[in-house]
Amino acid sequence: MNRTLQPEIQELVQFNILPPERTVMPNGVPLTVINAGEQDVVRVDILFGGGRWQQSKKLQALFANRMLREGSRKYTAAEIAERLDYYGAWLELSSSAEYAYVTLYSLNKYFAETLDVLESIIKEPLFPEKELNTVIDANIQQYLVNTSKVDFLAHRSLLRALYGEEHPCGRYVEETDYHNITPDLLREFYNTYYHSGNCYIYLSGKVTDEITRRIEVAFGMVPFGNHQQRLVKKEYPFVAVPEKRIFTEREDAMQSAVKLGTTTILRTHPDYLKLRVLITLFGGYFGSRLMSNIREDKGYTYGISAGIMFYPGSGLLGISTETANEYVEPLIQEVYKEIDKLQNDRVAPEELAMVRNYMLGEMCRNYESPFSLADAWMFILTSGLDDAYFARSLQAVKEVTPEEIRELAGRYLCKENLKEVIAGKKLA
């Protein structure tokens, strides 16, 4: 090998994502296995349908999930933490709009011991009041820190501007909402959504037959919880406010947060995969149009980005940055100038090729480890997509043309629909 010569760059023709092994256990719980690891480590992801879209009170879904580790009939909170630490395991708890996640990382040789803890916290949590008060106090402190940040204030103002006060996205959490959380409220949510009839399990890493057998014994043989209940999908209408600009004042702010946004299409829309390419070119990576102009050329900000976030029934196309108060107006005008260019001029083939290579490289990196593969297949489930989504993504990136980019910009980057949300110090 001659190391003085650059290796030949090869185009990614196709990439094959390791397909999962899907089965349904005797009690009806779907089990998905991604057996791809070389290290003796395994990850268990247990998903329950039910997030803040289903909650009857603010923060109910979040704390029902968060409190699982704070004590069960078999283990106290301290014993759960000590046992997992002793066996080198790691537990993550999170919740989203429509799902709750319980994730355990474990060494294979101690899987029986760590699974015992996992089974206990899922099947018999206690939601003890003393631990709940401690968790709530810590979360209130974090909330108070967040409400002092202009980015946080602008983000929630944008959501309310686009979705309205009655939509889950537009309902502000206030400090008083934390004090309304009780153990009974959490048990109500847990009893409704945490059961075998509303459960999905993913196993990834170096998955042995013994590990699969233990999962089936713990979670797959006998129904658990109120398993006859079925998740009801909730739909919320949304209505944007009529104002074009929304300002939230923060008198002591050194900088202003600027967010421009509009509702947009879902991942299932035929245009979405090629729209991803446009948004990446516009503001989705370090070499994007917005970064090159507003950071590199004008020096208005350290960073600016564009992307699409998704909520049940809606997408949100957003542009986000922070800048000195005096640069807010010129920055917004430069964003609109970049939109005009994309709508009126065709992208140069060289620039489009650069964006393609970036996106293809990201695809390869995102699906190279067993745990990232598990994330990918969970994404398919929670987004309501089919297994061919990844192949279609690759095809869209490779085939999109400059003319299609221009047409998509005209269709989806509509300046008239963008709300302008600013949080910061009001200038005289």
Side-chain angles (χ1 to χ4, degrees), residues 347-379:
V347 176
E350 296 80 11
E351 183 180 11
L352 184 55
M354 185 185 304
V355 173
R356 277 201 187 100
N357 289 336
Y358 168 78
M359 295 184 71
L360 294 174
E362 285 296 293
M363 286 182 185
C364 293
R365 282 187 289 274
N366 287 342
Y367 310 127
E368 65 182 2
S369 74
F371 300 154
S372 61
L373 286 169
D375 290 335
W377 291 114
M378 284 191 291
F379 163 79

Side-chain angles (χ1 to χ4, degrees), residues 182-223:
T182 65
D184 287 342
L185 190 66
L186 303 187
R187 291 188 192 102
E188 174 193 308
F189 190 88
Y190 169 84
N191 289 332
T192 303
Y193 297 105
Y194 285 70
H195 57 79
S196 58
N198 191 35
C199 177
Y200 309 86
I201 299 181
Y202 287 74
L203 266 177
S204 55
K206 194 171 185 179
V207 182
T208 64
D209 291 340
E210 177 63 13
I211 286 174
T212 303
R213 185 191 69 79
R214 288 188 180 277
I215 285 289
E216 290 178 347
V217 170
F219 295 108
M221 302 304 292
V222 180

Side-chain angles (χ1 to χ4, degrees), residues 290 345 372:
L290 291 179
D345 304 327
S372 61

Side-chain angles (χ1 to χ4, degrees), residues 46-51 54 97-101 189 192-195 197-200 230-233:
I46 302 182
L47 284 63
F48 295 97
Q54 286 74 35
E98 291 189 300
Y99 287 89
Y101 301 81
F189 190 88
T192 303
Y193 297 105
Y194 285 70
H195 57 79
N198 191 35
C199 177
Y200 309 86
R230 288 294 176 263
L231 177 68
V232 177
K233 289 278 188 179

Side-chain angles (χ1 to χ4, degrees), residues 56-60 63 132-133 136 140 172-186:
S56 59
K57 299 286 185 181
K58 295 175 187 176
L59 300 172
Q60 186 185 27
F63 282 104
L132 175 59
N133 290 335
I136 286 175
I140 288 174
Y172 288 173
V173 171
E174 306 291 350
E175 185 176 348
T176 54
D177 295 317
Y178 288 89
H179 298 293
N180 294 332
I181 296 296
T182 65
D184 287 342
L185 190 66
L186 303 187

Side-chain angles (χ1 to χ4, degrees), residues 160-175:
R160 177 166 285 188
L162 291 174
Y163 293 99
E165 296 182 11
E166 299 304 314
H167 191 275
C169 287
R171 295 176 189 158
Y172 288 173
V173 171
E174 306 291 350
E175 185 176 348

